[in-house]
Amino acid sequence: MSLLNIRNLTVKFATATGDFTAVDGIDVSVDKSEVLAIVGESGSGKSVSMLAVMGLLPDTAKITADEMNFDGHDLLHMTSAERRQLIGREITMIFQEPIASLNPSFTVGFQIEEVLRLNLGMSRAAARAKALDLFQAVGIPAPETKLFSYPHQLSGGQCQRVMIAMAIASKPRLLIADEPTTALDVTIQKQILDLLMDLQEDYGMALILITHDMGVVAETADRVVVQYKGRKMEEADVLSLFEAPQHPYTRALLSALPENATGDRLPTVSDFFAQEGAR
Amino acid sequence: MIRFFLGKLLYLVPTFIGITMVAFGFVRVLPGDPVLLMAGERGISPERHAELSAQLGFDKPIWSQYLDFLGRLMHGDFGLSLVTKKPVITEFLTLFPATAELGLVAITIAALIGVPVGVIAAVKRGSWFDQVSMTTALIGFSMPIFWWGLLLIILFSSILQWTPVSGRISLMFFFKPVTGFMLIDSLLSGQKGAFTSALSHLILPALVLATIPLAVIARQTRSAMLEVMGEDYVRTARAKGMSSTRVIGVHALRNAMIPVITTIGLQVGTLMAGAILTETIFSWPGIGKWMIDSISRRDYPVVQSGLLLIAAMVMLVNLLVDLTYGLINPRIRHQ
């Protein structure tokens, strides 16, 4: 049985001009210790579908699904108190903008110790010691002093390491990483990805990696879901997807990789849909 | 932090010099001759007028009078009142606790009600609470203090007879001031009923004075909270599984308070202006009423030094607010 199982998820946002459908009936599942990549361009509903799992969408969002289940827990019908027993403990999430994702008014030490004290019931001293261990585990230099730093005193890469440390603090079974490297320098991107993969292996947790970078997908994922305009276009294991993409949109995404450039004008998604006569 | 404090302190020097010019110039552009007003209805001979003017230094050129004023200030001399002949600083220090007590209670009421109302309005955006509270705040902000004070006196003092019309405490009570704050002194006196009497005298003027700051604080808190609630770090706090109370009360409010505290600091200036009207309506023996009386008597030393002392108080409060701002916002502190 899958760890996370979502069937026919639809997310609509109430707007002044009527409902806007951001996610349109997608199915997603992830097994224990599996790395699933969800790829697609901006606005394809990748983040929205995972924010729906986390319960982080605003009140204007209408979420419906035939099933949204995490390890036997029905995420659709649980109260917010019940959801808080899972969110931040069993399922954690890191985001695209690490500096903005950390509270500028508190030290990063306070922010990680908060998770340890409130979610895991640790004492102040135990939380401090554990925070130090976690900072070391995610490769933050001089962790003893960095605990007392504010987010603006750290680099983007260091802030993302802090976010990762917070996310793994409770040894979650599922970590959702929403474009964790997009806002970082190229050299740091590689380090953060390697760190995530190492931790995924060490902790044996499932990892959902939301990205629009096919290079990241190739390096990390076991299985890939391709999304476009809120719909799932294709789902395949990573080798099959790169060797024999089935859907024109997937072929369009792959053709946009820099290494596939031929020197001519880059083809667009509509070129592929026109060729295939599909939509 | 010390560098931050010294930097802020340096900013005060030019501000203070500017205020001495305004305070000195303001009273002199008003029509009316202080020497004639001192003489009263009997009038004064031109010789005696010239003699008194020379004695008080009013015959010198304006710039020379200004430099004399500055020179005396440097030595801590704020001058003597033309009317009472008492040192301005003594009168100020006698009357200031009454205004400070009124202002402190007013700003406390404004913050204690305004901040929670603003937070709830933001969290329940678009609800009936949001709409009613923000409309009420707009009405409160637009209301002339003078008229509002009179309305409350008519309702609570005249019709319901719940509160006295004026003064700081009933004439039945007498005790030597210790702190100058009637609420504290009445408690210290140990006289039965003194504290209740002081409180009943204070509550109405404090409510009147709190009205505009309360409205401003509630609206500012709401808008700051709405902005902060959309920030990524609030989403992170929710993703960490924190309760709504903690997300709003710790993660969002701490950041939303930065502009709110600035607003509270700026309201101190409004409070001083409001105190002048409130003290006049309620015959509250504070510096607001003292200033109004001194302006009508063209008591130059009192008006110019009084203005300066009031401005210094406002600047001091704003300095404290700036320091609080630095404490709350580490980015400011580390700049």
Side-chain angles (χ1 to χ4, degrees):
Chain A
M1 191 181 134
S2 303
L3 183 66
L4 177 72
N5 203 7
I6 301 170
R7 274 197 304 117
N8 196 24
L9 172 68
T10 299
V11 182
K12 290 180 180 174
F13 289 96
T15 68
T17 52
D19 282 356
F20 169 76
T21 306
V23 177
D24 192 0
I26 65 157
D27 299 338
V28 178
S29 65
V30 64
D31 291 334
K32 285 171 186 161
S33 309
E34 186 187 27
V35 179
L36 173 76
I38 303 180
V39 291
E41 61 195 50
S42 299
S44 60
K46 319 181 287 287
S47 301
V48 171
S49 51
M50 288 303 111
L51 289 173
V53 170
M54 295 289 288
L56 295 178
L57 288 173
D59 293 339
T60 49
K62 290 180 218 164
I63 304 166
T64 55
D66 293 342
E67 186 182 3
M68 196 196 274
N69 193 301
F70 176 80
D71 199 28
H73 299 280
D74 180 3
L75 294 173
L76 265 183
H77 299 107
M78 57 176 41
T79 62
S80 55
E82 287 168 342
R83 188 184 284 269
R84 280 207 309 277
Q85 294 302 312
L86 290 179
I87 301 303
R89 297 166 202 234
E90 302 283 328
I91 313 174
T92 56
M93 189 165 183
I94 59 171
F95 302 97
Q96 187 173 345
E97 295 285 348
I99 298 178
S101 296
L102 289 166
N103 195 321
S105 295
F106 296 106
T107 62
V108 291
F110 171 88
Q111 295 184 58
I112 189 167
E113 285 166 26
E114 182 183 39
V115 178
L116 296 164
R117 285 191 293 113
L118 298 181
N119 287 356
L120 304 180
M122 285 186 179
S123 68
R124 211 170 273 273
R128 173 63 51 87
K130 178 73 179 168
L132 205 57
D133 287 348
L134 285 164
F135 271 24
Q136 275 161 348
V138 297
I140 293 174
E144 301 86 354
T145 51
K146 288 290 190 291
L147 274 178
F148 302 99
S149 300
Y150 289 91
H152 70 273
Q153 295 172 307
L154 303 179
S155 67
Q158 286 174 338
C159 283
Q160 195 60 293
R161 285 176 196 272
V162 172
M163 285 295 291
I164 293 170
M166 282 200 298
I168 60 166
S170 54
K171 292 198 172 170
R173 281 188 291 164
L174 171 63
L175 170 63
I176 302 171
D178 186 358
E179 308 217 23
T181 56
T182 307
L184 305 176
D185 293 344
V186 180
T187 46
I188 309 296
Q189 284 184 6
K190 173 88 173 89
Q191 293 173 14
I192 294 291
L193 270 184
D194 288 347
L195 172 66
L196 275 176
M197 296 318 295
D198 289 347
L199 291 170
Q200 185 268 331
E201 213 172 294
D202 294 348
Y203 284 68
M205 62 189 173
L207 176 66
I208 296 181
L209 195 63
I210 300 171
T211 181
H212 59 255
D213 185 338
M214 294 304 275
V216 169
V217 175
E219 272 183 52
T220 55
D222 298 320
R223 202 154 48 82
V224 187
V225 167
V226 181
Q227 260 182 242
Y228 178 59
K229 287 189 175 172
R231 291 188 185 159
K232 184 159 84 174
M233 297 287 116
E234 184 170 355
E235 181 173 353
D237 67 83
V238 72
L239 282 177
S240 313
L241 188 102
F242 277 87
E243 282 174 7
Q246 298 298 305
H247 196 277
Y249 178 70
T250 315
R251 283 198 284 278
L253 274 185
L254 291 171
S255 74
L257 288 175
E259 53 267 38
N260 294 337
T262 57
D264 295 335
R265 181 183 73 87
L266 275 176
T268 60
V269 172
S270 51
D271 292 334
F272 282 85
F273 280 128
Q275 272 174 26
E276 309 279 337
R279 185 151 288 273
Chain B
M1 196 64 200
I2 293 167
R3 250 183 73 189
F4 177 79
F5 176 74
L6 290 176
K8 288 285 169 195
L9 213 58
L10 268 181
Y11 270 114
L12 295 188
V13 176
T15 315
F16 194 76
I17 293 172
I19 291 167
T20 60
M21 290 178 187
V22 173
F24 179 85
F26 161 72
V27 69
R28 277 163 179 80
V29 296
L30 291 177
D33 181 343
V35 179
L36 279 181
L37 282 166
M38 275 168 72
E41 287 179 6
R42 283 177 302 163
I44 190 169
S45 68
E47 294 77 28
R48 179 68 184 141
H49 184 277
E51 193 186 330
L52 267 177
S53 292
Q55 203 180 334
L56 296 167
F58 294 149
D59 58 335
K60 292 183 186 169
I62 287 287
W63 61 266
S64 170
Q65 288 185 43
Y66 175 68
L67 288 181
D68 284 350
F69 170 55
L70 272 190
R72 284 197 302 272
L73 277 183
M74 297 290 180
H75 293 92
D77 178 6
F78 289 86
L80 293 178
S81 162
L82 297 181
V83 178
T84 64
K85 310 293 178 206
K86 284 184 187 165
V88 174
I89 189 72
T90 311
E91 290 197 346
F92 178 85
L93 291 176
T94 311
L95 298 170
F96 182 69
T99 302
E101 182 176 42
L102 182 61
L104 271 176
V105 172
I107 202 77
T108 308
I109 292 174
L112 284 183
I113 300 176
V115 170
V117 165
V119 170
I120 297 170
V123 173
K124 297 189 178 296
R125 186 186 189 177
S127 66
W128 66 266
F129 182 87
D130 180 21
Q131 290 175 9
V132 169
S133 61
M134 287 306 115
T135 309
T136 312
L138 189 65
I139 294 170
F141 183 69
S142 321
M143 203 130 58
I145 284 192
F146 211 89
W147 178 74
W148 176 228
L150 292 176
L151 275 188
L152 288 185
I153 288 176
I154 291 169
L155 178 64
F156 290 106
S157 305
S158 182
I159 298 173
L160 296 171
Q161 299 199 333
W162 287 356
T163 60
V165 181
S166 62
R168 292 184 76 188
I169 195 162
S170 164
L171 293 173
M172 284 164 56
F173 303 101
F174 179 78
F175 39 82
K176 280 202 122 190
V178 182
T179 61
F181 284 57
M182 198 58 83
L183 287 180
I184 299 173
D185 288 352
S186 61
L187 273 180
L188 293 177
S189 75
Q191 294 181 32
K192 203 179 170 195
F195 178 76
T196 322
S197 172
L199 190 66
S200 66
H201 279 78
L202 178 68
I203 194 71
L204 221 50
L207 273 179
V208 169
L209 192 55
T211 304
I212 289 179
L214 196 161
V216 174
I217 290 169
R219 291 183 73 86
Q220 175 67 60
T221 305
R222 178 185 181 270
S223 106
M225 277 299 285
L226 282 179
E227 196 177 321
V228 165
M229 294 290 282
E231 295 288 347
D232 287 357
Y233 54 79
V234 171
R235 183 184 57 186
T236 304
R238 291 169 64 206
K240 277 155 64 173
M242 299 293 119
S243 66
S244 298
T245 318
R246 190 166 177 90
V247 171
I248 295 163
V250 176
H251 287 272
L253 189 59
R254 169 89 178 233
N255 290 283
M257 282 314 285
I258 295 165
V260 174
I261 283 178
T262 311
T263 305
I264 293 174
L266 291 173
Q267 286 305 307
V268 174
T270 315
L271 271 184
M272 286 297 173
I276 291 175
L277 290 172
T278 312
E279 288 180 4
T280 308
I281 303 166
F282 290 92
S283 297
W284 188 263
I287 51 169
K289 191 167 178 298
W290 176 58
M291 288 302 290
I292 288 284
D293 294 345
S294 305
I295 290 169
S296 56
R297 291 174 195 149
R298 300 294 182 275
D299 194 340
Y300 282 12
V302 170
V303 178
Q304 65 196 23
S305 297
L307 269 178
L308 200 63
L309 287 164
I310 292 171
M313 287 296 162
V314 174
M315 287 197 310
L316 187 72
V317 172
N318 276 295
L319 178 70
L320 291 175
V321 167
D322 278 347
L323 291 179
T324 318
Y325 195 79
L327 281 177
I328 288 187
N329 189 347
R331 279 173 296 185
I332 298 288
R333 194 163 67 233
H334 295 138
Q335 259 174 17

